[in-house]
Amino acid sequence: MYVLVTYDVSTTTAEGRKRLRNTAKICLNYGQRVQNSVFELLIDPAQWAQCKAELCDTIEPQTDSLRFYYLGNNWKNRVEHVGAKPAIDLEGPLFA
Amino acid sequence: MKKHLNTLFVTTEGAYLRKEGQAVVVRVEKQTRLRVPLHNLDGIVCFGRVGCSPALMASCAKGNVSISFLNPYGGFLAAVTGFSPGNVLLRRQQYRAADAADSTLAIAKEIVAGKIANSRSVLLRAARDISAPDAQEQLQRAARRMANDVTMARNETSLDALRGREGESAATYFQVFSSMISPQATGFAFTTRSRRPPLDPLNALLSFLYSMLTHDARSACEAAGLDAAVGFLHRDRPGRPGLALDLIEEFRAFLVDRLTLSLINRRQIQSSDFEITQSGAVLLKDKPRKTVLAAYQKRKQATITHPFLDEKTTIGLLIHLQARLLARHLRGDLDAYPPFLWR
């Protein structure tokens, strides 16, 4: 399935900046960064449960927020990109 | 059902792969080119001068992501494997079966029968699609002869006779191979199969794709817990992945030959896409190699119903399923190894 993760982490304190870095790191372990603090994850349900738990443990619910958008398996019809830095298609041919 | 995962092809000379978090990062000249989470990958194939960090190798070995290093033309150099995966009892069973003449012959027979049947289906399918009546006639005649070979292969009593039967039918098949090439595709005349090195563009393309398929078969064996080096039809030789070569027999015509033909007939690949070295070897150039790899990946993602399991799957996973069916046969859960038969 395809999941879109966005977050808002308060960076007024040093701990907040640390939480922001950690949140980004977790997202990068499971998916790709498509915009600042917007990540797309191609992931199976078990891995997603793990990822979600890690994310929820990292943030501070009083000040930070996380939003998950579930795009399902048919996500290609639901995502459109315009402009710079196109995301890589993890199901298409991968070259480097 | 296992999900069909992607393969990362690294074709940039001088690239370095490293691990960042749980993702692989491709760096070229100290710039990050690509970053892919490891859980999205099934294999990493590196062409030419590509480096790789030990940390990445370790987590790939742990996460069942196969890494292969190939020369720029697809020749196999090395693979990274961690601790031997899977079940030691299964591997022992495999060695026992490979040592016993009758069980070896039983499995090899099915593999050869599957190979001949699938090559024959490819000929018949091509005969239906082309309009030239004499080429059609030729293909159908070869297919009739091969139908006989399938039954004969199942009745052979020795491994050597079986190999002879396989060679004979392969000769029949390749004799009419050029009839499947559209007359508009110039420069792809097929005379005979040549390898190490391939001596014409068509052979270069076939060899390149066969080695991609071997990479996939090798990881399928590893993933199923089998020893890729101990084959049944292919006997042991140091460095040769005998079982992987056994497994690809059923897929050569169905996957590689058909893909090669459609690449040529649709003129996605032309004779100008190859270069001839001084030794006479014909090699695929850099850019068309990407076209070929992309087409191969795309073909592997096409869905198909497995004829034996009656389950919907992708073409890329078929070889994994075959490895698992073979494992089931070796464990004694299946009376015979059911080869993949394309209908």
Side-chain angles (χ1 to χ4, degrees):
Chain A
M1 66 176 182
Y2 214 65
V3 184
L4 183 82
V5 176
T6 64
Y7 54 73
D8 214 344
V9 176
S10 163
T11 53
T12 44
T13 59
E15 290 87 69
R17 288 189 285 276
K18 189 175 175 188
R19 287 201 303 276
L20 180 76
R21 281 196 305 276
N22 287 342
T23 316
K25 265 187 200 160
I26 295 167
C27 290
L28 276 173
N29 280 347
Y30 291 94
Q32 60 171 327
R33 181 174 232 143
V34 288
Q35 286 176 343
N36 296 335
S37 66
V38 180
F39 292 80
E40 287 179 10
L41 282 54
L42 179 67
I43 201 166
D44 69 33
Q47 290 163 335
W48 169 242
Q50 198 180 343
C51 173
K52 191 172 151 185
E54 284 178 36
L55 286 172
C56 295
D57 287 346
T58 307
I59 61 150
E60 181 58 60
Q62 304 297 325
T63 53
D64 313 335
S65 72
L66 281 167
R67 280 181 87 80
F68 309 132
Y69 302 80
Y70 299 98
L71 298 173
N73 288 323
N74 221 351
W75 58 274
K76 276 189 187 148
N77 302 328
R78 302 196 176 109
V79 181
E80 203 181 322
H81 184 95
V82 178
K85 288 197 268 177
I88 47 169
D89 176 6
L90 288 171
E91 286 175 323
L94 284 175
F95 286 113
Chain B
M1 189 62 235
K2 188 176 177 292
K3 201 174 165 334
H4 182 180
L5 297 170
N6 214 334
T7 307
L8 169 66
F9 294 102
V10 185
T11 55
T12 314
E13 289 275 326
Y16 188 76
L17 307 180
R18 73 177 191 203
K19 178 172 168 274
E20 238 177 67
Q22 293 304 312
V24 49
V25 171
V26 183
R27 307 262 293 172
V28 180
E29 280 160 6
K30 308 210 163 142
Q31 300 284 317
T32 297
R33 269 279 180 94
L34 186 71
R35 180 196 169 100
V36 186
L38 279 174
H39 71 84
N40 290 122
L41 291 178
D42 179 51
I44 301 175
V45 183
C46 307
F47 292 89
R49 204 163 50 78
V50 173
C52 180
S53 78
L56 178 67
M57 291 188 204
S59 51
C60 283
K62 199 164 162 241
N64 268 334
V65 180
S66 56
I67 307 182
S68 288
F69 293 95
L70 311 180
N71 71 17
Y73 316 109
F76 180 82
L77 298 175
V80 178
T81 39
F83 292 110
S84 285
N87 189 335
V88 62
L89 299 175
L90 173 64
R91 275 203 303 281
R92 257 184 198 285
Q93 207 60 45
Q94 181 189 353
Y95 301 144
R96 275 189 206 117
D99 280 339
D102 54 335
S103 51
T104 301
L105 183 64
I107 295 171
K109 260 189 211 173
E110 294 302 325
I111 290 168
V112 171
K115 174 184 184 174
I116 302 176
N118 287 343
S119 315
R120 182 175 169 266
S121 304
V122 168
L123 293 185
L124 286 173
R125 176 71 67 100
R128 249 177 288 155
D129 291 346
I130 56 176
S131 46
D134 48 329
Q136 211 165 26
E137 169 61 29
Q138 256 189 343
L139 292 175
Q140 277 162 351
R141 205 177 323 131
R144 271 198 295 280
R145 248 196 291 166
M146 288 167 75
N148 194 28
D149 284 336
V150 179
T151 17
M152 299 287 269
R154 285 221 160 95
N155 293 331
E156 294 295 357
T157 49
S158 84
L159 210 52
D160 283 331
L162 183 67
R163 291 193 185 112
R165 180 69 56 192
E166 184 208 355
E168 236 169 78
S169 105
T172 315
Y173 172 75
F174 278 115
Q175 241 164 36
V176 295
F177 195 81
S178 53
S179 304
M180 293 192 279
I181 300 166
S182 117
Q184 279 89 33
T186 46
F188 285 102
F190 183 80
T191 43
T192 176
R193 183 85 183 94
S194 57
R195 51 211 192 105
R196 285 188 229 119
L199 297 174
D200 57 63
L202 188 57
N203 276 304
L205 205 49
L206 287 174
S207 293
F208 180 70
L209 282 169
Y210 286 146
S211 65
M212 292 301 107
L213 187 57
T214 313
H215 161 87
D216 290 345
R218 188 191 275 263
S219 31
C221 294
E222 300 283 349
L226 296 163
D227 188 333
V230 179
F232 297 96
L233 181 64
H234 293 82
R235 293 273 69 177
D236 300 354
R237 194 189 292 164
R240 181 162 80 164
L243 189 62
L245 293 172
D246 280 2
L247 275 185
I248 71 170
E249 290 299 348
E250 295 146 43
F251 295 95
R252 283 180 189 265
F254 159 73
L255 183 52
V256 170
D257 298 0
R258 277 173 69 223
L259 182 62
T260 305
L261 287 166
S262 58
L263 281 170
I264 293 172
N265 290 343
R266 290 184 194 148
R267 311 242 219 117
Q268 282 167 284
I269 291 292
Q270 300 180 335
S271 49
S272 56
D273 289 334
F274 297 85
E275 55 193 349
I276 304 174
T277 62
Q278 280 186 333
S279 63
V282 176
L283 302 168
L284 201 54
K285 285 183 193 163
D286 237 21
K287 234 179 108 197
R289 191 174 58 189
K290 280 192 185 169
T291 316
V292 173
L293 288 173
Y296 179 62
Q297 273 310 92
K298 199 155 167 244
R299 178 64 60 96
K300 282 202 297 183
Q301 284 168 352
T303 51
I304 189 171
T305 306
H306 193 284
F308 181 77
L309 299 169
D310 199 23
E311 209 177 327
K312 246 194 169 168
T313 174
T314 61
I315 289 181
L317 276 182
L318 283 175
I319 203 151
H320 284 264
L321 292 174
Q322 287 309 119
R324 262 147 228 238
L325 286 172
L326 182 62
R328 265 201 241 171
H329 167 56
L330 291 172
R331 285 199 180 100
D333 298 342
L334 282 174
D335 291 340
Y337 165 65
F340 166 73
L341 296 174
W342 181 49
R343 303 208 177 106

